[in-house]
PDB file of all heavy atoms in Angstrom:
ATOM      1  N   PRO A 251      32.454 -21.368   6.556  1.00  0.00           N
ATOM      2  CA  PRO A 251      33.241 -20.458   5.643  1.00  0.00           C
ATOM      3  C   PRO A 251      33.836 -21.227   4.524  1.00  0.00           C
ATOM      4  O   PRO A 251      34.069 -20.667   3.440  1.00  0.00           O
ATOM      5  CB  PRO A 251      34.283 -19.935   6.646  1.00  0.00           C
ATOM      6  CG  PRO A 251      33.789 -20.162   8.016  1.00  0.00           C
ATOM      7  CD  PRO A 251      32.853 -21.278   7.981  1.00  0.00           C
ATOM      8  N   LYS A 252      34.134 -22.528   4.739  1.00  0.00           N
ATOM      9  CA  LYS A 252      34.835 -23.299   3.670  1.00  0.00           C
ATOM     10  C   LYS A 252      33.862 -23.629   2.523  1.00  0.00           C
ATOM     11  O   LYS A 252      34.206 -23.487   1.312  1.00  0.00           O
ATOM     12  CB  LYS A 252      35.384 -24.611   4.258  1.00  0.00           C
ATOM     13  CG  LYS A 252      36.838 -24.762   3.838  1.00  0.00           C
ATOM     14  CD  LYS A 252      37.486 -26.115   4.193  1.00  0.00           C
ATOM     15  CE  LYS A 252      37.064 -26.805   5.412  1.00  0.00           C
ATOM     16  NZ  LYS A 252      37.634 -28.028   5.792  1.00  0.00           N
ATOM     17  N   CYS A 253      32.654 -24.123   2.877  1.00  0.00           N
ATOM     18  CA  CYS A 253      31.754 -24.610   1.812  1.00  0.00           C
ATOM     19  C   CYS A 253      30.565 -23.755   1.514  1.00  0.00           C
ATOM     20  O   CYS A 253      29.908 -24.027   0.494  1.00  0.00           O
ATOM     21  CB  CYS A 253      31.348 -26.037   2.251  1.00  0.00           C
ATOM     22  SG  CYS A 253      30.268 -26.093   3.606  1.00  0.00           S
ATOM     23  N   GLY A 254      30.269 -22.795   2.328  1.00  0.00           N
ATOM     24  CA  GLY A 254      28.977 -22.057   2.213  1.00  0.00           C
ATOM     25  C   GLY A 254      29.083 -20.855   1.321  1.00  0.00           C
ATOM     26  O   GLY A 254      30.119 -20.561   0.652  1.00  0.00           O
ATOM     27  N   PRO A 255      27.955 -20.128   1.262  1.00  0.00           N
ATOM     28  CA  PRO A 255      27.932 -18.855   0.427  1.00  0.00           C
ATOM     29  C   PRO A 255      29.017 -17.862   0.911  1.00  0.00           C
ATOM     30  O   PRO A 255      29.352 -17.908   2.112  1.00  0.00           O
ATOM     31  CB  PRO A 255      26.545 -18.348   0.705  1.00  0.00           C
ATOM     32  CG  PRO A 255      25.757 -19.495   1.089  1.00  0.00           C
ATOM     33  CD  PRO A 255      26.643 -20.445   1.787  1.00  0.00           C
ATOM     34  N   LYS A 256      29.538 -17.099  -0.087  1.00  0.00           N
ATOM     35  CA  LYS A 256      30.535 -16.085   0.280  1.00  0.00           C
ATOM     36  C   LYS A 256      29.971 -14.713   0.136  1.00  0.00           C
ATOM     37  O   LYS A 256      29.014 -14.439  -0.611  1.00  0.00           O
ATOM     38  CB  LYS A 256      31.727 -16.233  -0.733  1.00  0.00           C
ATOM     39  CG  LYS A 256      32.285 -17.616  -0.820  1.00  0.00           C
ATOM     40  CD  LYS A 256      33.374 -17.919   0.189  1.00  0.00           C
ATOM     41  CE  LYS A 256      34.073 -19.216   0.012  1.00  0.00           C
ATOM     42  NZ  LYS A 256      33.136 -20.380   0.347  1.00  0.00           N
ATOM     43  N   VAL A 257      30.578 -13.842   0.930  1.00  0.00           N
ATOM     44  CA  VAL A 257      30.107 -12.371   0.843  1.00  0.00           C
ATOM     45  C   VAL A 257      31.186 -11.553   0.301  1.00  0.00           C
ATOM     46  O   VAL A 257      32.376 -11.792   0.522  1.00  0.00           O
ATOM     47  CB  VAL A 257      29.696 -11.921   2.257  1.00  0.00           C
ATOM     48  CG1 VAL A 257      30.883 -11.937   3.188  1.00  0.00           C
ATOM     49  CG2 VAL A 257      28.966 -10.599   2.274  1.00  0.00           C
ATOM     50  N   TYR A 258      30.866 -10.581  -0.460  1.00  0.00           N
ATOM     51  CA  TYR A 258      31.897  -9.620  -1.030  1.00  0.00           C
ATOM     52  C   TYR A 258      31.303  -8.272  -1.291  1.00  0.00           C
ATOM     53  O   TYR A 258      30.059  -8.067  -1.456  1.00  0.00           O
ATOM     54  CB  TYR A 258      32.427 -10.250  -2.355  1.00  0.00           C
ATOM     55  CG  TYR A 258      31.506 -10.529  -3.439  1.00  0.00           C
ATOM     56  CD1 TYR A 258      31.319  -9.673  -4.502  1.00  0.00           C
ATOM     57  CD2 TYR A 258      30.680 -11.698  -3.406  1.00  0.00           C
ATOM     58  CE1 TYR A 258      30.369  -9.917  -5.465  1.00  0.00           C
ATOM     59  CE2 TYR A 258      29.795 -11.955  -4.373  1.00  0.00           C
ATOM     60  CZ  TYR A 258      29.659 -11.089  -5.419  1.00  0.00           C
ATOM     61  OH  TYR A 258      28.707 -11.370  -6.380  1.00  0.00           O
ATOM     62  N   LEU A 259      32.173  -7.301  -1.281  1.00  0.00           N
ATOM     63  CA  LEU A 259      31.861  -5.920  -1.418  1.00  0.00           C
ATOM     64  C   LEU A 259      32.216  -5.413  -2.836  1.00  0.00           C
ATOM     65  O   LEU A 259      33.278  -5.771  -3.364  1.00  0.00           O
ATOM     66  CB  LEU A 259      32.620  -5.072  -0.387  1.00  0.00           C
ATOM     67  CG  LEU A 259      32.240  -3.685  -0.107  1.00  0.00           C
ATOM     68  CD1 LEU A 259      30.881  -3.541   0.528  1.00  0.00           C
ATOM     69  CD2 LEU A 259      33.332  -2.962   0.723  1.00  0.00           C
ATOM     70  N   THR A 260      31.317  -4.588  -3.459  1.00  0.00           N
ATOM     71  CA  THR A 260      31.708  -4.043  -4.719  1.00  0.00           C
ATOM     72  C   THR A 260      31.398  -2.530  -4.703  1.00  0.00           C
ATOM     73  O   THR A 260      30.683  -2.049  -3.806  1.00  0.00           O
ATOM     74  CB  THR A 260      30.931  -4.549  -5.924  1.00  0.00           C
ATOM     75  OG1 THR A 260      29.645  -3.968  -5.985  1.00  0.00           O
ATOM     76  CG2 THR A 260      30.797  -6.066  -5.879  1.00  0.00           C
ATOM     77  N   ASP A 261      32.007  -1.777  -5.572  1.00  0.00           N
ATOM     78  CA  ASP A 261      31.680  -0.363  -5.699  1.00  0.00           C
ATOM     79  C   ASP A 261      30.344  -0.205  -6.493  1.00  0.00           C
ATOM     80  O   ASP A 261      29.752  -1.235  -6.859  1.00  0.00           O
ATOM     81  CB  ASP A 261      32.823   0.465  -6.303  1.00  0.00           C
ATOM     82  CG  ASP A 261      33.068   0.045  -7.787  1.00  0.00           C
ATOM     83  OD1 ASP A 261      32.286  -0.685  -8.344  1.00  0.00           O
ATOM     84  OD2 ASP A 261      34.088   0.523  -8.314  1.00  0.00           O
ATOM     85  N   ARG A 262      30.039   0.996  -6.796  1.00  0.00           N
ATOM     86  CA  ARG A 262      28.735   1.196  -7.433  1.00  0.00           C
ATOM     87  C   ARG A 262      28.594   0.559  -8.826  1.00  0.00           C
ATOM     88  O   ARG A 262      27.512   0.331  -9.275  1.00  0.00           O
ATOM     89  CB  ARG A 262      28.448   2.730  -7.512  1.00  0.00           C
ATOM     90  CG  ARG A 262      29.461   3.450  -8.353  1.00  0.00           C
ATOM     91  CD  ARG A 262      29.022   4.884  -8.606  1.00  0.00           C
ATOM     92  NE  ARG A 262      29.158   5.690  -7.390  1.00  0.00           N
ATOM     93  CZ  ARG A 262      28.478   6.744  -7.130  1.00  0.00           C
ATOM     94  NH1 ARG A 262      27.513   7.118  -7.936  1.00  0.00           N
ATOM     95  NH2 ARG A 262      28.595   7.415  -6.013  1.00  0.00           N
ATOM     96  N   ASP A 263      29.763   0.304  -9.421  1.00  0.00           N
ATOM     97  CA  ASP A 263      29.734  -0.268 -10.768  1.00  0.00           C
ATOM     98  C   ASP A 263      29.793  -1.846 -10.736  1.00  0.00           C
ATOM     99  O   ASP A 263      29.959  -2.430 -11.739  1.00  0.00           O
ATOM    100  CB  ASP A 263      30.847   0.225 -11.600  1.00  0.00           C
ATOM    101  CG  ASP A 263      30.783   1.772 -11.758  1.00  0.00           C
ATOM    102  OD1 ASP A 263      29.632   2.213 -12.012  1.00  0.00           O
ATOM    103  OD2 ASP A 263      31.793   2.430 -11.625  1.00  0.00           O
ATOM    104  N   GLY A 264      29.870  -2.388  -9.517  1.00  0.00           N
ATOM    105  CA  GLY A 264      29.947  -3.836  -9.413  1.00  0.00           C
ATOM    106  C   GLY A 264      31.386  -4.282  -9.410  1.00  0.00           C
ATOM    107  O   GLY A 264      31.684  -5.498  -9.497  1.00  0.00           O
ATOM    108  N   GLU A 265      32.398  -3.340  -9.335  1.00  0.00           N
ATOM    109  CA  GLU A 265      33.807  -3.718  -9.300  1.00  0.00           C
ATOM    110  C   GLU A 265      34.161  -4.180  -7.887  1.00  0.00           C
ATOM    111  O   GLU A 265      33.833  -3.462  -6.957  1.00  0.00           O
ATOM    112  CB  GLU A 265      34.710  -2.605  -9.692  1.00  0.00           C
ATOM    113  CG  GLU A 265      34.555  -2.151 -11.182  1.00  0.00           C
ATOM    114  CD  GLU A 265      35.019  -3.258 -12.158  1.00  0.00           C
ATOM    115  OE1 GLU A 265      35.973  -3.994 -11.819  1.00  0.00           O
ATOM    116  OE2 GLU A 265      34.391  -3.337 -13.220  1.00  0.00           O
ATOM    117  N   LEU A 266      34.749  -5.305  -7.799  1.00  0.00           N
ATOM    118  CA  LEU A 266      35.111  -5.907  -6.515  1.00  0.00           C
ATOM    119  C   LEU A 266      36.061  -4.878  -5.676  1.00  0.00           C
ATOM    120  O   LEU A 266      37.024  -4.335  -6.192  1.00  0.00           O
ATOM    121  CB  LEU A 266      35.887  -7.200  -6.685  1.00  0.00           C
ATOM    122  CG  LEU A 266      36.075  -8.019  -5.417  1.00  0.00           C
ATOM    123  CD1 LEU A 266      34.701  -8.559  -4.914  1.00  0.00           C
ATOM    124  CD2 LEU A 266      37.058  -9.137  -5.657  1.00  0.00           C
ATOM    125  N   VAL A 267      35.660  -4.729  -4.406  1.00  0.00           N
ATOM    126  CA  VAL A 267      36.511  -3.950  -3.462  1.00  0.00           C
ATOM    127  C   VAL A 267      37.165  -4.985  -2.595  1.00  0.00           C
ATOM    128  O   VAL A 267      36.529  -5.605  -1.763  1.00  0.00           O
ATOM    129  CB  VAL A 267      35.670  -3.000  -2.674  1.00  0.00           C
ATOM    130  CG1 VAL A 267      36.548  -2.260  -1.666  1.00  0.00           C
ATOM    131  CG2 VAL A 267      34.957  -1.946  -3.534  1.00  0.00           C
ATOM    132  N   GLU A 268      38.449  -5.196  -2.802  1.00  0.00           N
ATOM    133  CA  GLU A 268      39.218  -6.233  -2.010  1.00  0.00           C
ATOM    134  C   GLU A 268      39.172  -5.810  -0.523  1.00  0.00           C
ATOM    135  O   GLU A 268      39.619  -4.715  -0.237  1.00  0.00           O
ATOM    136  CB  GLU A 268      40.613  -6.355  -2.518  1.00  0.00           C
ATOM    137  CG  GLU A 268      40.738  -7.003  -3.862  1.00  0.00           C
ATOM    138  CD  GLU A 268      40.573  -8.477  -3.904  1.00  0.00           C
ATOM    139  OE1 GLU A 268      40.322  -9.063  -2.810  1.00  0.00           O
ATOM    140  OE2 GLU A 268      40.598  -9.098  -5.038  1.00  0.00           O
ATOM    141  N   HIS A 269      38.692  -6.683   0.326  1.00  0.00           N
ATOM    142  CA  HIS A 269      38.752  -6.433   1.730  1.00  0.00           C
ATOM    143  C   HIS A 269      38.626  -7.793   2.473  1.00  0.00           C
ATOM    144  O   HIS A 269      37.803  -8.597   2.089  1.00  0.00           O
ATOM    145  CB  HIS A 269      37.653  -5.493   2.158  1.00  0.00           C
ATOM    146  CG  HIS A 269      37.971  -4.791   3.443  1.00  0.00           C
ATOM    147  ND1 HIS A 269      37.882  -5.418   4.719  1.00  0.00           N
ATOM    148  CD2 HIS A 269      38.409  -3.525   3.710  1.00  0.00           C
ATOM    149  CE1 HIS A 269      38.266  -4.576   5.601  1.00  0.00           C
ATOM    150  NE2 HIS A 269      38.566  -3.402   5.020  1.00  0.00           N
ATOM    151  N   LYS A 270      39.401  -8.000   3.524  1.00  0.00           N
ATOM    152  CA  LYS A 270      39.377  -9.279   4.156  1.00  0.00           C
ATOM    153  C   LYS A 270      38.130  -9.459   5.023  1.00  0.00           C
ATOM    154  O   LYS A 270      37.738 -10.551   5.433  1.00  0.00           O
ATOM    155  CB  LYS A 270      40.660  -9.516   4.974  1.00  0.00           C
ATOM    156  CG  LYS A 270      40.929  -8.570   6.155  1.00  0.00           C
ATOM    157  CD  LYS A 270      42.097  -8.954   6.873  1.00  0.00           C
ATOM    158  CE  LYS A 270      42.299  -8.240   8.241  1.00  0.00           C
ATOM    159  NZ  LYS A 270      41.813  -6.881   8.346  1.00  0.00           N
ATOM    160  N   ASP A 271      37.484  -8.338   5.314  1.00  0.00           N
ATOM    161  CA  ASP A 271      36.323  -8.354   6.196  1.00  0.00           C
ATOM    162  C   ASP A 271      35.191  -7.399   5.549  1.00  0.00           C
ATOM    163  O   ASP A 271      34.892  -6.383   6.096  1.00  0.00           O
ATOM    164  CB  ASP A 271      36.654  -7.845   7.557  1.00  0.00           C
ATOM    165  CG  ASP A 271      35.627  -8.186   8.608  1.00  0.00           C
ATOM    166  OD1 ASP A 271      34.490  -8.581   8.205  1.00  0.00           O
ATOM    167  OD2 ASP A 271      35.846  -7.987   9.835  1.00  0.00           O
ATOM    168  N   PRO A 272      34.616  -7.899   4.466  1.00  0.00           N
ATOM    169  CA  PRO A 272      33.711  -6.986   3.711  1.00  0.00           C
ATOM    170  C   PRO A 272      32.511  -6.558   4.508  1.00  0.00           C
ATOM    171  O   PRO A 272      32.006  -5.445   4.363  1.00  0.00           O
ATOM    172  CB  PRO A 272      33.292  -7.865   2.520  1.00  0.00           C
ATOM    173  CG  PRO A 272      33.786  -9.208   2.765  1.00  0.00           C
ATOM    174  CD  PRO A 272      34.801  -9.205   3.848  1.00  0.00           C
ATOM    175  N   VAL A 273      32.017  -7.431   5.382  1.00  0.00           N
ATOM    176  CA  VAL A 273      30.777  -7.032   6.133  1.00  0.00           C
ATOM    177  C   VAL A 273      31.049  -5.848   7.098  1.00  0.00           C
ATOM    178  O   VAL A 273      30.296  -4.857   7.088  1.00  0.00           O
ATOM    179  CB  VAL A 273      30.172  -8.239   6.948  1.00  0.00           C
ATOM    180  CG1 VAL A 273      28.933  -7.825   7.673  1.00  0.00           C
ATOM    181  CG2 VAL A 273      29.850  -9.379   5.962  1.00  0.00           C
ATOM    182  N   ARG A 274      32.067  -5.993   7.921  1.00  0.00           N
ATOM    183  CA  ARG A 274      32.391  -4.889   8.911  1.00  0.00           C
ATOM    184  C   ARG A 274      32.811  -3.680   8.136  1.00  0.00           C
ATOM    185  O   ARG A 274      32.578  -2.558   8.572  1.00  0.00           O
ATOM    186  CB  ARG A 274      33.390  -5.409   9.869  1.00  0.00           C
ATOM    187  CG  ARG A 274      32.865  -6.456  10.777  1.00  0.00           C
ATOM    188  CD  ARG A 274      33.753  -6.773  11.916  1.00  0.00           C
ATOM    189  NE  ARG A 274      33.166  -7.784  12.771  1.00  0.00           N
ATOM    190  CZ  ARG A 274      33.444  -9.116  12.678  1.00  0.00           C
ATOM    191  NH1 ARG A 274      34.317  -9.543  11.771  1.00  0.00           N
ATOM    192  NH2 ARG A 274      32.809  -9.994  13.418  1.00  0.00           N
ATOM    193  N   GLU A 275      33.478  -3.869   6.964  1.00  0.00           N
ATOM    194  CA  GLU A 275      33.828  -2.679   6.143  1.00  0.00           C
ATOM    195  C   GLU A 275      32.569  -1.960   5.650  1.00  0.00           C
ATOM    196  O   GLU A 275      32.501  -0.699   5.695  1.00  0.00           O
ATOM    197  CB  GLU A 275      34.713  -3.147   4.933  1.00  0.00           C
ATOM    198  CG  GLU A 275      35.028  -2.045   3.992  1.00  0.00           C
ATOM    199  CD  GLU A 275      35.902  -0.913   4.502  1.00  0.00           C
ATOM    200  OE1 GLU A 275      36.436  -1.075   5.694  1.00  0.00           O
ATOM    201  OE2 GLU A 275      36.098   0.060   3.813  1.00  0.00           O
ATOM    202  N   ALA A 276      31.553  -2.749   5.298  1.00  0.00           N
ATOM    203  CA  ALA A 276      30.256  -2.122   4.849  1.00  0.00           C
ATOM    204  C   ALA A 276      29.690  -1.337   6.046  1.00  0.00           C
ATOM    205  O   ALA A 276      29.210  -0.193   5.831  1.00  0.00           O
ATOM    206  CB  ALA A 276      29.281  -3.177   4.430  1.00  0.00           C
ATOM    207  N   GLY A 277      29.789  -1.882   7.224  1.00  0.00           N
ATOM    208  CA  GLY A 277      29.298  -1.157   8.373  1.00  0.00           C
ATOM    209  C   GLY A 277      30.046   0.118   8.613  1.00  0.00           C
ATOM    210  O   GLY A 277      29.450   1.258   8.877  1.00  0.00           O
ATOM    211  N   ARG A 278      31.287   0.118   8.430  1.00  0.00           N
ATOM    212  CA  ARG A 278      32.155   1.389   8.531  1.00  0.00           C
ATOM    213  C   ARG A 278      31.705   2.358   7.509  1.00  0.00           C
ATOM    214  O   ARG A 278      31.615   3.570   7.747  1.00  0.00           O
ATOM    215  CB  ARG A 278      33.641   1.033   8.473  1.00  0.00           C
ATOM    216  CG  ARG A 278      34.262   0.570   9.697  1.00  0.00           C
ATOM    217  CD  ARG A 278      35.742   0.494   9.593  1.00  0.00           C
ATOM    218  NE  ARG A 278      36.155  -0.561   8.692  1.00  0.00           N
ATOM    219  CZ  ARG A 278      36.415  -1.845   9.026  1.00  0.00           C
ATOM    220  NH1 ARG A 278      36.321  -2.136  10.290  1.00  0.00           N
ATOM    221  NH2 ARG A 278      36.774  -2.730   8.116  1.00  0.00           N
ATOM    222  N   LEU A 279      31.483   1.861   6.239  1.00  0.00           N
ATOM    223  CA  LEU A 279      31.109   2.787   5.185  1.00  0.00           C
ATOM    224  C   LEU A 279      29.756   3.434   5.455  1.00  0.00           C
ATOM    225  O   LEU A 279      29.594   4.683   5.230  1.00  0.00           O
ATOM    226  CB  LEU A 279      31.002   2.083   3.873  1.00  0.00           C
ATOM    227  CG  LEU A 279      32.359   1.609   3.314  1.00  0.00           C
ATOM    228  CD1 LEU A 279      32.193   0.553   2.139  1.00  0.00           C
ATOM    229  CD2 LEU A 279      33.128   2.809   2.774  1.00  0.00           C
ATOM    230  N   LEU A 280      28.839   2.709   6.058  1.00  0.00           N
ATOM    231  CA  LEU A 280      27.540   3.252   6.409  1.00  0.00           C
ATOM    232  C   LEU A 280      27.698   4.365   7.453  1.00  0.00           C
ATOM    233  O   LEU A 280      27.118   5.408   7.335  1.00  0.00           O
ATOM    234  CB  LEU A 280      26.631   2.125   6.950  1.00  0.00           C
ATOM    235  CG  LEU A 280      26.071   1.111   5.954  1.00  0.00           C
ATOM    236  CD1 LEU A 280      25.383   0.004   6.625  1.00  0.00           C
ATOM    237  CD2 LEU A 280      25.121   1.828   5.044  1.00  0.00           C
ATOM    238  N   SER A 281      28.522   4.013   8.483  1.00  0.00           N
ATOM    239  CA  SER A 281      28.728   4.983   9.531  1.00  0.00           C
ATOM    240  C   SER A 281      29.368   6.275   9.050  1.00  0.00           C
ATOM    241  O   SER A 281      29.111   7.309   9.581  1.00  0.00           O
ATOM    242  CB  SER A 281      29.642   4.318  10.554  1.00  0.00           C
ATOM    243  OG  SER A 281      29.761   5.091  11.680  1.00  0.00           O
ATOM    244  N   GLU A 282      30.154   6.165   7.952  1.00  0.00           N
ATOM    245  CA  GLU A 282      30.830   7.378   7.388  1.00  0.00           C
ATOM    246  C   GLU A 282      29.896   8.179   6.515  1.00  0.00           C
ATOM    247  O   GLU A 282      30.229   9.253   6.052  1.00  0.00           O
ATOM    248  CB  GLU A 282      32.078   6.920   6.602  1.00  0.00           C
ATOM    249  CG  GLU A 282      33.236   6.590   7.453  1.00  0.00           C
ATOM    250  CD  GLU A 282      34.370   5.885   6.715  1.00  0.00           C
ATOM    251  OE1 GLU A 282      34.443   6.126   5.413  1.00  0.00           O
ATOM    252  OE2 GLU A 282      35.117   5.126   7.311  1.00  0.00           O
TER     253      GLU A 282
END
Side-chain angles (χ1 to χ4, degrees):
K252 228 188 329 178
C253 65
K256 307 273 186 289
V257 64
Y258 57 100
L259 190 69
T260 80
D261 67 8
R262 61 172 71 205
D263 301 316
E265 292 297 326
L266 191 70
V267 177
E268 291 283 359
H269 202 285
K270 63 176 191 330
D271 194 351
V273 179
R274 293 192 179 94
E275 175 64 7
R278 277 189 293 269
L279 289 167
L280 287 171
S281 185
E282 281 167 26

